[in-house]
Amino acid sequence: METKDVSREDMLKRVARFTDLTRSVGGFPDSDIPGCERTLLNVIGFDPPDEVPGQEVMSPVGKNAAENSAIPISEGFNLGYVEALPGHGVMSHHHDTNETFVVMTGTWRFTWNDADDEYVDLVALDTITFPVGLSRRFTCLASENGTLDEPALLMVVVAGDKPRAFMRPDFLAEARRTGKFTPRTYSVTAV
């Protein structure tokens, strides 16, 4: 493969400074459910997924963050951050592609399986990667300084150009019906 030269101006279009990232709230079916509030910071974007007849399909970064990518290119993956207060996270869901998390600050619990019965707690610079189709969710347990009143930061890398995220219909229906984060909630204590 031959190399190529790129101007400084063109390379600076591929730079995203953390302090300049757009914070996006909402855009997911569970965004307004207590315990699921979170902020997304989309760094490297990808195209929205194709619709699937009869299925509720969403972008893994949600509609709002997908529209606010700092570097709006399609390179075969998405890179972004999730910021959440302790006790907050996402409902159980799965993807049609790999999803990898790197804890930047705080302590996070990652849960997997349809029964929501396996988990691991990770701290700064720990990494976990979920394979295609595995139900997963994550919950912030504590902020960087161990308090419950400051958000923690999680880096997310999702593979693919048009990945899709799916929530189990029974979880989604129950969440919409009751407005609660189900099927399991965790008691959260500072660590």
Side-chain angles (χ1 to χ4, degrees):
M1 179 174 166
E2 293 184 34
T3 63
K4 64 179 178 179
D5 290 335
V6 175
S7 71
R8 177 174 177 76
E9 179 183 350
D10 285 343
M11 276 310 300
L12 290 179
K13 293 176 186 173
R14 299 174 72 95
V15 172
R17 299 192 187 278
F18 186 82
T19 56
D20 296 335
L21 294 176
T22 299
R23 286 172 158 67
S24 300
V25 177
F28 289 102
D30 66 347
S31 294
D32 295 328
I33 297 170
C36 293
E37 304 94 345
R38 61 206 179 269
T39 301
L40 280 84
L41 299 91
N42 191 5
V43 180
I44 298 175
F46 44 49
D47 295 328
D50 295 326
E51 292 188 24
V52 177
Q55 290 184 334
E56 188 165 353
V57 177
M58 67 200 88
S59 169
V61 299
K63 181 181 183 315
N64 297 354
E67 293 172 352
N68 290 302
S69 178
I71 304 172
I73 58 174
S74 187
E75 297 278 328
F77 70 97
N78 168 264
L79 183 135
Y81 297 96
V82 174
E83 202 173 55
L85 288 169
H88 295 251
V90 300
M91 291 183 69
S92 187
H93 66 285
H94 66 281
H95 294 259
D96 64 353
T97 185
N98 171 280
E99 184 175 33
T100 300
F101 298 94
V102 180
V103 174
M104 303 307 294
T105 64
T107 303
W108 294 77
R109 175 163 291 170
F110 297 88
T111 308
W112 63 92
N113 289 338
D114 275 342
D116 205 27
D117 60 349
E118 295 288 341
Y119 72 90
V120 63
D121 295 342
L122 301 179
V123 297
L125 303 182
D126 290 344
T127 302
I128 187 168
T129 184
F130 288 98
V132 172
L134 178 63
S135 290
R136 82 285 308 255
R137 69 182 174 111
F138 54 85
T139 305
C140 177
L141 297 181
S143 66
E144 183 173 20
N145 61 12
T147 67
L148 301 176
D149 59 351
E150 291 182 28
L153 191 64
L154 181 64
M155 180 190 290
V156 183
V157 179
V158 180
D161 286 318
K162 293 184 176 187
R164 297 175 294 169
F166 306 88
M167 289 187 173
R168 278 186 32 189
D170 57 329
F171 288 1
L172 194 52
E174 178 66 11
R176 286 183 171 149
R177 186 180 71 74
T178 65
K180 294 181 181 174
F181 187 17
T182 56
R184 174 197 273 165
T185 55
Y186 298 108
S187 60
V188 178
T189 56
V191 289

